[in-house]
Amino acid sequence: DGDGIADKDDACPDEAGPASLQGCPDRDGDGIADKDDACPDVPGVVANKGCPEVTQEIREQLNAFAKTILFDTGKSTIKKESDNTLNDITDILKKFPNAKFTVEGHTDSTGSDKLNKRLSEARALAVKQYLVDHGIDEFRLSAIGYGEARPIASHNPRAGRPENRRVEINLTKQ
């Protein structure tokens, strides 16, 4: 392969690569040979098999964005003004091609439990579909609705209800 490493010592005798990687190429320059890199086109870390690591900071950023997604009242229709936010989320997810996420829908306590569960599921699915339509592989995403079961603020007084109406995006697998 012309990389200066004798074939008997070259772990990749048909592809040129540096001696530091036993003659194997490293397309993304992360120091992990492509043959050992689960994400050979995106720089990553050894601890994550060559894929980029979704840090706590990235997780918090995803959820800060996700909580601002707006829907039509009582519906799963995403409001147009949420497009920029959803595009920002899409851009983040594209940086982590092997990571899997769950889109979680939540509601406040207004309405019946059954209605809230159905609405939260529909909203989570709507966000998932938006992400898929904008280039995120469907196999990387799941969607679930929790209805009013997982509040982050009190359902009473009314001031806490808007905080409970939200979408979250959580990492399920690096």
Side-chain angles (χ1 to χ4, degrees):
D1 60 18
D3 61 9
I5 300 169
D7 284 352
K8 68 178 183 66
D9 299 322
D10 196 331
C12 299
D14 297 325
E15 298 176 273
S20 63
L21 295 176
Q22 299 173 309
C24 292
D26 177 19
R27 289 192 304 260
D28 59 19
D30 61 6
I32 302 164
D34 290 349
K35 69 179 187 67
D36 301 321
D37 196 331
C39 299
D41 297 312
V42 182
V45 295
V46 172
N48 202 26
K49 300 176 186 157
C51 294
E53 186 174 24
V54 182
T55 64
Q56 183 63 32
E57 182 181 340
I58 296 295
R59 293 177 208 183
E60 290 170 6
Q61 185 180 26
L62 278 171
N63 278 312
F65 285 145
K67 287 177 184 174
T68 66
I69 297 170
L70 302 173
F71 298 89
D72 290 332
T73 303
K75 298 180 181 179
S76 62
T77 312
I78 300 170
K79 290 188 174 191
K80 187 75 175 148
E81 57 261 38
S82 295
D83 282 357
N84 287 340
T85 296
L86 286 160
N87 291 336
D88 289 340
I89 291 169
T90 301
D91 291 343
I92 291 170
L93 297 183
K94 284 181 178 179
K95 292 177 184 175
F96 304 96
N98 281 23
K100 294 184 179 183
F101 299 88
T102 299
V103 180
E104 299 177 359
H106 302 271
T107 64
D108 63 24
S109 62
T110 306
S112 71
D113 287 348
K114 186 176 179 180
L115 175 70
N116 285 333
K117 178 99 166 106
R118 215 175 358 189
L119 179 60
S120 66
E121 287 172 355
R123 287 179 172 180
L125 285 168
V127 170
K128 176 186 174 183
Q129 190 60 53
Y130 184 99
L131 297 171
V132 169
D133 290 348
H134 288 82
I136 303 302
D137 290 328
E138 186 171 8
F139 81 92
R140 296 180 50 211
L141 301 170
S142 60
I144 189 167
Y146 289 106
E148 61 191 70
R150 294 186 174 186
I152 57 172
S154 173
H155 286 302
N156 293 309
R158 286 185 174 186
R161 289 183 185 160
E163 290 181 62
N164 293 327
R165 293 188 300 260
R166 69 194 187 282
V167 170
E168 293 181 357
I169 299 176
N170 291 304
L171 178 70
T172 55
K173 184 181 178 206
Q174 280 280 5

